Amino acid sequence: MIVSDKMKSVIVHYNQGLTLYKSRKFAEAKEEFKKGLAIHPEDGPSKLYIERCDDYIADPPPEDWDGVYNMKTK
């Protein structure tokens, strides 16, 4: 499979965002995911993590958070 330069850039921003997210740096992570969306507006994983970042910015996870996202609604 050949990955375009455009998608490589999206992947770089996504991976940087994911690293920040796992480090509980949700605002910074959100910005990385948004950079990916600016390149590829239909990137579903980036959209999902932006929503999760917003949730955790508003209501941070506990100190012993293991990185697992707990859905609040079904």
Side-chain angles (χ1 to χ4, degrees):
M1 174 193 244
I2 297 174
V3 178
S4 69
D5 288 340
K6 179 178 169 180
M7 281 310 295
K8 286 179 185 176
S9 294
V10 172
I11 292 167
V12 167
H13 289 297
Y14 176 82
N15 285 333
Q16 289 174 340
L18 198 56
T19 297
L20 290 163
Y21 176 88
K22 289 178 180 178
S23 298
R24 301 174 60 100
K25 297 177 181 176
F26 304 112
E28 294 94 333
K30 180 180 175 180
E31 292 307 311
E32 285 300 321
F33 295 126
K34 285 171 65 176
K35 288 176 185 177
L37 279 181
I39 298 166
H40 181 60
E42 298 305 313
D43 183 48
S46 292
K47 288 180 182 181
L48 174 71
Y49 273 98
I50 287 171
E51 290 177 18
R52 290 180 178 183
C53 286
D54 285 339
D55 287 347
Y56 283 141
I57 290 167
D59 185 19
E63 289 300 317
D64 63 347
W65 179 64
D66 60 4
V68 174
Y69 182 79
N70 295 312
M71 293 176 52
K72 296 177 181 156
T73 60
K74 190 172 184 183

